[in-house]
Amino acid sequence: MEVKIGVQHAPREIVLESGQSAEEVERVVAEALSGKSQLLSLTDDHGRKVLVPADRLAYVELGEPAPRKVGFGAL
């Protein structure tokens, strides 16, 4: 699933492909915004962690669950 994170006072957004479900990402974002945690912590498909301070979040956009395939391939 593609996740885009907007950060206040940052010119570019953070884009990552996460193996987490939309419900899991939404729960983690809600916890960060409610003050239960100081950081928004997500893990991408390569196992890298992305940490964003909760008070700097501008927006979080959840993309489609399965990325579209582009290019040539055998059927």
Side-chain angles (χ1 to χ4, degrees), residues 1-53:
M1 150 170 297
E2 182 180 68
V3 179
K4 293 181 183 179
I5 304 169
V7 181
Q8 294 177 7
H9 309 295
R12 294 176 47 180
E13 61 191 11
I14 300 169
V15 180
L16 64 117
E17 290 290 330
S18 177
Q20 297 171 302
S21 69
E23 292 80 21
E24 288 176 305
V25 173
E26 189 174 347
R27 181 184 51 79
V28 172
V29 171
E31 287 176 1
L33 292 176
S34 69
K36 289 184 181 178
S37 64
Q38 301 273 328
L39 292 172
L40 170 63
S41 174
L42 296 173
T43 305
D44 72 0
D45 284 345
H46 300 289
R48 296 177 290 212
K49 278 201 164 211
V50 175
L51 303 171
V52 180

Side-chain angles (χ1 to χ4, degrees), residues 47-62:
R48 296 177 290 212
K49 278 201 164 211
V50 175
L51 303 171
V52 180
D55 61 342
R56 298 288 182 194
L57 285 175
Y59 64 89
V60 176
E61 181 180 319
L62 303 177

